[in-house]
Every structure is written in structure tokens, then in C-alpha cells.
């Protein structure tokens, strides 16, 4: 039995496909995590800017409501 024949018979079982798919997913997710790591500080900065904007607008709206209701 040659190596290619034994490899082909191994790939006839669904568990081999699942094992290869699992390995591919782990490698892909690890690479994705490394690729997105530099975006972490940018996402935190954008989140902080959104929080500042929303809270400032809420404060201005409350000041306007207080000014027009008294």
C-alpha cells in the first residue's frame, strides 16, 4: 500500500475532514486575532468619542429643557 493510497483511504472517513476543518479554523482564528490586534486602541478611542458625544448632547438637551420650562 503506497502513501497516497493510505492517505486517500484516510480521507474517506468524515472524522478526518472534521479534524482538518478544526485545525483550519483554529489557525484562521489565531491569524484573525493577530490581524485585528492593532485595531484595539482605535476601537477604544472611537468608543470614548461616542460616549463623550452622547453625554455632551444629553447634557445640552437637559440644559435646553431646563431653560425653556422655567
Amino acid at each position: 500500500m503506497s502513501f497516497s493510497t493510505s492517505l486517500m483511504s484516510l480521507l474517506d472517513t468524515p472524522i478526518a475532514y472534521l479534524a482538518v476543518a478544526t485545525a483550519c479554523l483554529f489557525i484562521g482564528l489565531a491569524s484573525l486575532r493577530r490581524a485585528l490586534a492593532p485595531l484595539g486602541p482605535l476601537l477604544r478611542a472611537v468608543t470614548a468619542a461616542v460616549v463623550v458625544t452622547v453625554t455632551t448632547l444629553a447634557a445640552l438637551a437637559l440644559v435646553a429643557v431646563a431653560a425653556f420650562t422655567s
Side-chain angles (χ1 to χ4, degrees):
M1 180 187 258
S2 69
F3 176 72
S4 64
T5 307
S6 63
L7 182 61
M8 292 304 290
S9 65
L10 177 65
L11 291 178
D12 286 338
T13 61
I15 194 74
Y17 287 109
L18 290 175
V20 171
T22 302
C24 289
L25 281 175
F26 279 128
I27 292 169
L29 289 176
S31 297
L32 180 65
R33 193 176 87 194
R34 282 193 301 272
L36 294 179
L39 295 178
L42 177 64
L43 292 176
R44 283 191 292 275
V46 168
T47 303
V50 168
V51 168
V52 167
T53 302
V54 168
T55 55
T56 303
L57 289 174
L60 289 174
L62 291 172
V63 168
V65 168
F68 289 121
T69 57
S70 49

